[in-house]
Amino acid sequence: MLIIPCPWCGERDESEFSYGGPARPLPSLDADAAAWRRALYSCDNPMGWREELWFHGFGCRQWVVVRRHTVSQKIVDGRPPENPS
Amino acid sequence: MAHYSFLHLTAAALGLGPRSGPVFGGAVPRRRYDVAIIGGGGHGLATAHYLAREHGVSDIVVIEKGWLGGGNTGRNTTIVRADYLLPGNLEFFGHALSMWPDLSRDLNFNVMFSPRGYLDLAHSDAQLDLFIRRANMLSLKGIQARIVDPQTLRDLEPALDIGPKPPVPVLGGLVQAGAGTARHDAVAWGYARSAHRQGVDIVQNCEVTGLKLEHEHIVGVETSRGMIETDTVVVSVAGHSSRLAAMAGIDLPIETYAVQAFVSEPLKPVLNRVTNMNIGLAYVSQTDKGEIVMGGSLEPLASYAQRGSVVRIGETASRLVHLLPFLSRVRLMRAWGGIADVTADGSAIVGPTPVGGLYLNAGWGYSGFKATPAAGWCLAHTVATGEVHPLIRPLGLERFTTGALLDEGGAGPYTWLH
């Protein structure tokens, strides 16, 4: 079981959250097709640390941004997203 | 090297012939090869085998970071089936299924293909409608599939709890008679042995650290055992596809996820077919030794760890207990995980890349094992002739630019939903 640091509730079990994918900024609405293709389909897929979104559905019902290591599964730096989804 | 036959086995059993020694030794990579295949799993070895046998290209090295078949080839649930819906996947997997029955004879190695049948259960009207549509699509392409009602299901699989008041509703199912299971390790070993007999070098414990490019064309592979010059490279590395492609500057629409499977203690024969449950997802089959092999959906978070959360094992097991109540009293022996490369539309990416001489065989998610013979066959054709094999044309990387996606699940560009 992963322990996820929620900025509002503290460290809570993974089972209270749902996964929201990597935190990736969307391009502006007037961006060209290539930029949208990159935004939709490209994946960083790092073997190491990455930022991602989790939704604390069985807790405070807020989106949180964390940094997670994709090999060790360590999760650190829980914080509120800049633009709440 | 001995050709395996009844005579050979009998002689060996009576101590008359030479004892079976190692099938191949640890090759030391030479300086230059016509083709370098990265990844010594089923797919990479099959590509080497068909390149050598069908196209006369045998100056090949297969480079494996760990040991043969130690990645997803040895970590799957050994299921072979072809119940896809979309044109593109439909023809490809249909062809893959048609290659399995003859594979043992073809390789002179027993891959223990067991066409015991595959059963996909429908639990709602919508699911049944989808399965009927899928069975019709399959039948139109000459791929075997039929729809059965709950009464027939009871006769086919008496162990399933689909009685008058079942714990989960079962409205029917799709049965594919020619599908089944195969011995996954034997597939890697059989292809490796056959490729080696045709002069292919297989180098284990050798990690690729870089791809060397000149003017957007491959000229070599940097490995932990030195530089190998080549102008053709096939990347067939499952979960690490993104990292290998990044070495050539290619940005793949792929994320890596762990998938888990687990196995029970051996039981007497109770399950006839490979059975797939579709409330959530859980698939179950019984091995020849009697163990019940169970698996579920992807771990829902990107991961390079070849293991998963025990929470997910619990979820899959709790689904299966509703279908097979006796499982609640059965002990689990082992659980394991592998890492799967999942594309943004859930279908594989096979074929050439924007980099000259670099071919990709990736994005199989958790449907790679059953594709092994056909992926190797089509890719060997593509590499040897320079013409993309018709069966893998719909699976090209360019579909993420043209928009001709193959989204079987209709889940959109979210890798973790496929």
Side-chain angles (χ1 to χ4, degrees), chain B residues 44-251:
Chain B
L45 294 163
T47 309
H49 163 79
Y50 293 120
L51 266 173
R53 202 190 62 189
E54 301 296 321
H55 304 283
V57 182
S58 59
D59 188 32
I60 302 174
V61 63
V62 177
I63 307 165
E64 166 57 45
K65 178 180 162 189
W67 65 96
L68 286 191
N72 292 350
T73 301
R75 293 165 188 269
N76 56 69
T77 47
T78 78
I79 298 168
V80 174
R81 59 179 170 87
D83 61 327
Y84 288 78
L85 176 70
L86 299 181
N89 280 336
L90 199 57
E91 293 90 347
F92 176 85
F93 283 103
H95 182 71
L97 183 60
S98 75
M99 290 179 80
W100 281 96
D102 285 327
L103 194 57
S104 293
R105 196 176 316 143
D106 191 28
L107 297 178
N108 183 232
F109 199 91
N110 189 1
V111 301
M112 297 167 74
F113 176 60
S114 157
R116 59 186 63 183
Y118 166 73
L119 166 62
D120 208 5
L121 295 174
H123 308 281
S124 66
D125 287 330
Q127 271 180 353
L128 191 58
D129 286 350
L130 176 66
F131 286 6
I132 292 169
R133 183 178 165 214
R134 194 184 289 173
N136 285 338
M137 289 293 280
L138 289 160
S139 302
L140 282 172
K141 295 285 174 190
I143 304 164
Q144 201 280 329
R146 71 189 166 105
I147 296 293
V148 292
D149 59 20
Q151 182 53 49
T152 315
L153 277 178
R154 270 175 224 129
D155 299 337
L156 293 177
E157 295 290 344
L160 302 184
D161 187 359
I162 42 179
K165 284 190 175 173
V168 291
V170 175
L171 275 67
L174 183 151
V175 172
Q176 190 164 54
T181 60
R183 172 85 200 275
H184 49 5
D185 299 318
V187 173
W189 299 335
Y191 275 121
R193 174 172 170 272
S194 183
H196 180 71
R197 287 173 92 178
Q198 296 168 87
V200 173
D201 277 355
I202 297 169
V203 184
Q204 301 179 71
N205 297 311
C206 179
E207 183 178 355
V208 170
T209 52
L211 296 174
K212 199 170 168 200
L213 273 62
E214 267 174 27
H215 311 297
E216 285 301 292
H217 198 287
I218 281 280
V219 293
V221 180
E222 291 158 23
T223 77
S224 56
R225 293 170 73 172
M227 178 80 185
I228 296 172
E229 291 171 19
T230 181
D231 49 21
T232 306
V233 170
V234 177
V235 173
S236 197
V237 296
H240 291 275
S241 300
S242 312
R243 298 178 61 223
L244 258 296
M247 290 175 187
I250 300 172
D251 176 22

Side-chain angles (χ1 to χ4, degrees), chain A residues 14 19 42 45 50 68 70, chain B residues 242 251 255 300 302 304 312:
Chain A
E14 166 200 0
Y19 179 67
S42 289
N45 203 16
R50 73 167 197 174
R68 183 173 62 87
T70 58
Chain B
S242 312
D251 176 22
E255 268 185 302
Y304 279 91
R312 243 65 71 181

Side-chain angles (χ1 to χ4, degrees), chain A residues 1-2 14 19-22 24 37-38 40-43 45-48 50 52 54 68 70-73, chain B residues 240 242-243 251-256 300-305 307 309 311-312 344 400-401 405 413 415-416:
Chain A
M1 178 87 71
L2 303 176
E14 166 200 0
Y19 179 67
R24 49 185 184 189
R37 185 189 63 79
R38 268 197 308 280
L40 284 173
Y41 300 126
S42 289
C43 306
N45 203 16
M47 189 170 167
R50 73 167 197 174
E52 62 191 19
W54 287 78
R68 183 173 62 87
T70 58
V71 182
S72 71
Q73 310 292 5
Chain B
H240 291 275
S242 312
R243 298 178 61 223
D251 176 22
L252 289 184
I254 283 180
E255 268 185 302
T256 299
L301 59 163
S303 170
Y304 279 91
R307 59 190 152 76
S309 165
V311 178
R312 243 65 71 181
F400 294 95
T401 311
L405 301 179
T415 51
W416 61 95

